[in-house]
Amino acid sequence: MIRIKLAAIATAGALAIGGLIASAGTASANGQSSSEMAEPTSAGDCLYVLNTSGYRTTPARRDACVYGERGGLFYGVCLVRLQETNVDTYVSRLACNAAND
């Protein structure tokens, strides 16, 4: 009975170690695991923030989000353009950050 339990414990330990080794082998060629991979941002992310905050997509808002994708000084253009379409300042910041984050 004790031998059976010891064998079960040894098997469970071997499976656990094998699982760790297998998960360590799932890193991508550049050394990053799938949870560390960066996701591209876009104007779509900006529009998603706007839509989930209760703002409809309009051509002017879409154009503002495209500016937000570019980053740098264009972040300010994104903010101003969204605020010109009556988007709240806080939501504008979230949306423009999402476009270029």
Side-chain angles (χ1 to χ4, degrees):
M1 182 75 153
I2 293 175
R3 286 186 185 183
I4 294 173
K5 288 184 181 180
L6 289 176
I9 291 171
T11 303
L15 290 174
I17 291 171
L20 290 174
I21 292 170
S23 66
T26 60
S28 65
N30 65 3
Q32 293 180 324
S33 69
S34 60
S35 63
E36 295 173 358
M37 299 293 283
E39 294 184 22
T41 58
S42 68
D45 295 324
C46 174
L47 292 170
Y48 176 78
V49 170
L50 293 174
N51 294 157
T52 58
S53 298
Y55 295 96
R56 289 184 339 212
T57 298
T58 64
R61 289 178 180 154
R62 186 178 312 113
D63 291 344
C65 288
V66 169
Y67 279 108
E69 276 182 322
R70 298 178 187 174
L73 295 175
F74 291 105
Y75 173 83
V77 175
C78 177
L79 286 175
V80 170
R81 296 266 176 112
L82 287 178
Q83 291 170 13
E84 287 174 348
T85 65
N86 299 317
V87 174
D88 178 69
T89 302
Y90 178 74
V91 175
S92 296
R93 288 180 183 162
L94 290 175
C96 293
N97 281 333
N100 189 38
D101 203 12

